[in-house]
Amino acid sequence: MSDNEILKVKDLSILYKTDLETVYAVNHVSFTLNKGQTLGLVGETGAGKTTTALGIMSLLPKRTARVTSGEILFEGQDLLKMSEKELLGIRGQKISMIFQDPMTALNPVLTVGDQIGETVRLHNTKNLSREEIEKKVEDTLELVGIPKERKNEYPYQFSGGMRQRVVIAMALICDPRMLIADEPTTALDVTIQAQVLSMICDLQRKYGTSMIMITHDLGVVAETCDTVGVVYAGEIVEYGQLADIFAGEDHHPYTEGLFGSIPNLKTKARRLQPIEGLMPDPTVPVEGCRFAPRCKYATDQCRSKKPPLWEKDGHQIRCHFAGIRKEAKHE
Ligand code: SF4
């Protein structure tokens, strides 16, 4: 790992195995997060984004989930090789996660102050006194825009947006070096989504925290990310700098489909162009390209042979025809 990298995920594969079936959730995923930057993982629900995040946090369900290949290097150390005790010193303290739904992330019978302070009490490496922890809780509440006097209230006394601010305070109180935000605004009203998102980004910039932003929303990616991985059926099908994804010439057909399915006032198209079909069944191993059943450019080669990874100046696309001009390649 170079000095400006904080996280490097290499060839990560995760499956869920039950008595009835095996679900291939994440398939040979690789990406890098630089210090102080934001990496976006964008794709449909069920594409494997959250499983990747839970793998990094070592929060996968132990009974069913298996990591079958790869490395997760955080500050040079492989998280997959760490003991549960070593992981306790990382999770919540050096790497924190903001979960999607604040109602399920918060305990309804504990005050928000108790819940925010719990992470510090658990990790208390600086041996803070009770009063010092209380002060840290109050400061963190104010940091996320909640008056400190509200620390003794319960989650039901807060609106959805304020509850998500509490969850963000829980994630930030130990000054983590890396934050994973898993669809942090999806469960909120549209009117407060932008507010919460801009608060997360302001705090991230202020403290230089590195962040993985998991989302299905290209608008969120455009506003928050430096690097983007487009995830489809457990694979990263396109990866590059924000400009590569939003302004580059070459794209994976799935990325093209994502852009075609959002409103664009500049084009004359009166209707949105949905990506027809569904993601492939994750219980069935795929020989060729996973996107082939939905791809308008698919050939026999696509259906039978796994596409290679094309790369130019760090911009990667997994497609047999990447890098060849569209008009020529698909005639
Ligand atoms: Fe489409 Fe073939 Fe490329 Fe897959 S490899 S995205 S099917 S053109």
Side-chain angles (χ1 to χ4, degrees), residues 237 251-254 288-303 305-308 317-322 329-330:
V237 295
H251 287 301
H252 189 279
Y254 177 61
C289 172
R290 286 167 188 272
F291 190 57
R294 302 171 81 181
C295 181
K296 60 186 175 187
Y297 309 123
T299 63
D300 287 346
Q301 181 192 16
C302 301
R303 285 179 271 273
K305 202 168 157 216
K306 189 173 166 61
I317 300 174
R318 191 169 285 286
C319 173
H320 284 296
F321 304 108
K329 74 184 177 186
H330 299 302

Side-chain angles (χ1 to χ4, degrees), residues 15 53 59 68 118 123 140 160 168 196 209 228 252 278 310 319:
L15 56 78
L59 287 175
T68 54
E118 193 179 343
H123 294 289
T140 312
I168 294 164
V196 171
T209 317
V228 185
H252 189 279
L278 298 169
W310 171 90
C319 173

Side-chain angles (χ1 to χ4, degrees), residues 18-203:
T18 67
D19 291 343
L20 297 176
E21 60 187 11
T22 301
V23 175
Y24 301 91
V26 174
N27 302 291
H28 304 287
V29 158
S30 300
F31 57 81
T32 301
L33 174 62
N34 288 335
K35 287 179 183 164
Q37 292 205 338
T38 300
L39 164 83
L41 292 180
V42 62
E44 294 169 64
T45 303
K49 308 182 299 291
T50 298
T51 297
T52 304
L54 293 176
I56 296 167
M57 294 293 290
S58 301
L59 287 175
L60 290 164
K62 293 215 169 3
R63 282 186 55 209
T64 52
R66 309 251 187 297
V67 176
T68 54
S69 75
E71 290 179 332
I72 302 174
L73 301 172
F74 174 72
E75 297 184 331
Q77 287 183 293
D78 190 351
L79 298 179
L80 294 175
K81 292 193 177 136
M82 286 189 183
S83 65
E84 193 51 37
K85 198 176 162 203
E86 287 170 315
L87 287 168
L88 276 176
I90 301 246
R91 198 190 298 131
Q93 191 175 20
K94 293 183 180 170
I95 308 177
S96 280
M97 188 156 171
I98 300 171
F99 292 93
Q100 186 179 131
D101 183 357
M103 262 330 253
T104 49
L106 294 172
N107 187 331
V109 298
L110 290 178
T111 66
V112 297
D114 277 346
Q115 296 186 61
I116 296 169
E118 193 179 343
T119 324
V120 190
R121 283 190 285 276
L122 195 68
H123 294 289
N124 204 357
T125 47
K126 292 180 186 160
N127 287 323
L128 299 181
S129 65
R130 224 175 123 192
E131 292 71 31
E132 285 169 323
I133 292 176
E134 280 302 295
K135 173 83 172 65
K136 202 163 170 53
V137 168
E138 290 173 1
D139 290 347
T140 312
L141 272 173
E142 302 250 300
L143 190 70
V144 298
I146 299 176
K148 61 184 179 194
E149 294 74 26
R150 298 195 68 183
K151 67 177 179 182
N152 293 323
E153 295 183 14
Y154 291 87
Y156 78 89
Q157 294 172 286
F158 289 78
S159 65
M162 292 298 250
R163 278 196 290 262
Q164 192 59 314
R165 284 171 188 258
V166 173
V167 172
I168 294 164
M170 284 167 68
L172 291 180
I173 192 160
C174 283
D175 307 320
R177 295 184 203 154
M178 193 183 115
L179 202 55
I180 302 178
D182 185 6
E183 305 263 11
T185 55
T186 304
L188 305 177
D189 287 346
V190 179
T191 45
I192 46 171
Q193 281 184 358
Q195 244 181 45
V196 171
L197 197 62
S198 92
M199 188 195 69
I200 294 173
C201 294
D202 288 350
L203 292 171

